[in-house]
Amino acid sequence: EDKVVQSPLSLVVHEGDTVTLNCSYEVTNFRSLLWYKQEKKAPTFLFMLTSSGIEKKSGRLSSILDKKELFSILNITATQTGDSAVYLCAVEALGSGGSNYKLTFGKGTLLTVNP
Amino acid sequence: GAVVSQHPSRVICKSGTSVKIECRSLDFQATTMFWYRQFPKQSLMLMATSNEGSKATYEQGVEKDKFLINHASLTLSTLTVTSAHPEDSSFYICSAGVHSGISYEQYFGPGTRLTVT
């Protein structure tokens, strides 16, 4: 069974701090790893990673994938209160039926950024 | 960008009744739609994968007779929770899959919060 484990489960920081969120996985037929931000509603897409060692950046957020060690990190620098959310890691892999790719989500990291 | 809508956004129903949730891709065609359920402080759990014009593929432990999925067109999939019970109260989220070269990208709907009293 595919497994995605995120750590820490929750984190409280002050504005301006830098945070690193972790995601490790065990899946067969890996295709990609995705990061999402979830506030009150459905997740919003942040990054898709398919290749090892290539950092993806978007503003203060960046992420990298290590396919040998089977993990990814999401970094947020100079955190702001608006970064407070649950950050979800998901791995896309071929489903058991063999015809569809599906996402397996981790439990998420609840990030709270205090002013 | 790709937009997915869900209706209703919130529904309260009585035990024993059925509830239908719609998921629409507004500006693109989705051959595959996914239905997830999320309990409070838990992650998204995939319930089923729905391909247009064919039967849905349910994940282990999800009752297909209780959670009826219909994907009649490339822009609409519906999830019907039949004979709902309080334990079915949850946040239901759909996503629509779009091929983008090497992979699917999944675009999520805003979710439907179901409360069964």
Side-chain angles (χ1 to χ4, degrees), chain B residues 24-113:
Chain B
R24 291 181 188 272
S25 55
L26 295 186
D27 49 1
F28 65 100
Q29 293 183 329
T31 51
T32 306
M33 287 185 170
F34 303 85
W35 286 95
Y36 296 86
R37 181 167 52 183
Q38 186 177 34
F39 292 109
K41 298 190 180 177
Q42 298 290 317
S43 191
L44 278 75
M45 297 297 295
L46 180 65
M47 298 174 67
T49 302
S50 155
N51 286 303
E52 184 263 339
S54 61
K55 287 185 182 177
T57 303
Y58 289 81
E59 294 299 301
Q60 199 170 7
V62 178
E63 297 174 58
K64 62 181 181 183
D65 294 329
K66 181 166 181 64
F67 299 100
L68 301 178
I69 291 172
N70 184 283
H71 191 163
S73 79
L74 287 171
T75 58
L76 173 65
S77 176
T78 60
L79 168 69
T80 301
V81 183
T82 62
S83 187
H85 289 285
E87 57 264 32
D88 298 325
S89 299
S90 187
F91 192 49
Y92 291 86
I93 305 173
C94 74
S95 72
V98 179
H99 282 283
S100 62
I102 61 168
S103 185
Y104 272 130
E105 288 189 24
Q106 286 195 32
Y107 296 92
F108 286 86
T112 296
R113 188 160 303 282

Side-chain angles (χ1 to χ4, degrees), chain A residues 63-85:
Chain A
S63 183
I64 197 160
L65 172 67
D66 185 327
K67 287 167 76 172
K68 186 179 171 192
E69 300 297 329
L70 308 183
F71 78 90
S72 174
I73 59 172
L74 174 69
N75 277 322
I76 308 176
T77 58
T79 51
Q80 302 170 358
T81 54
D83 295 328
S84 297

Side-chain angles (χ1 to χ4, degrees), chain A residues 19-35:
Chain A
V19 297
T20 298
L21 310 183
N22 303 293
C23 176
S24 63
Y25 62 92
E26 288 177 35
V27 302
T28 50
N29 297 303
F30 172 90
R31 198 172 212 191
S32 65
L33 184 144
L34 301 99
W35 284 97

Side-chain angles (χ1 to χ4, degrees), chain A residues 2-14:
Chain A
D2 295 343
K3 197 187 297 186
V4 179
V5 177
Q6 289 186 248
S7 64
L9 290 182
S10 67
L11 190 55
V12 180
V13 300
H14 291 290

